[in-house]
Amino acid sequence: MTFTVTYAQRDGGGVCLRLAGELDLGTAGELSSAIDRVVAEGHRELLLDLTELTFCDSTGIAAFVRGTTSSPPTAAGCGSPGRPAGWPGCSR
């Protein structure tokens, strides 16, 4: 299985990174690079859409943690659009 990171503007501002496939030792660098680009562009809100993520090992979890520590203090964190109820999702 492959891994992809798709960048999209969020409804109401911010950025959504949609993750699909398997996030592991071989692919975590792609996520880290995408997060670095978002932070370098000055975005202050980031949503990770995990809806299509089929696998995540400890390296993937470490990439999430690294992303939250390198992001501005107001970064949104990670989750799936619509969960919890009312969480703003990604524009399609």
Side-chain angles (χ1 to χ4, degrees):
M1 166 129 311
T2 60
F3 176 74
T4 59
V5 179
T6 306
Y7 174 99
Q9 291 291 323
R10 285 182 59 209
D11 297 336
V15 173
C16 176
L17 295 179
R18 291 188 195 116
L19 311 184
E22 298 182 0
L23 179 57
D24 58 21
L25 179 63
T27 58
E30 294 176 53
L31 175 58
S32 293
S33 294
I35 291 172
D36 289 345
R37 280 192 301 275
V38 168
V39 171
E41 291 172 1
H43 294 285
R44 299 183 57 91
E45 294 183 21
L46 171 63
L47 174 71
L48 298 178
D49 178 351
L50 309 178
T51 305
E52 299 297 319
L53 191 66
T54 58
F55 176 82
C56 182
D57 72 3
S58 60
T59 311
I61 299 295
F64 294 147
V65 171
R66 183 187 161 281
T68 61
T69 59
S70 66
S71 300
T74 58
C78 59
S80 295
R83 284 175 252 173
W87 186 272
C90 303
S91 57
R92 297 281 177 201

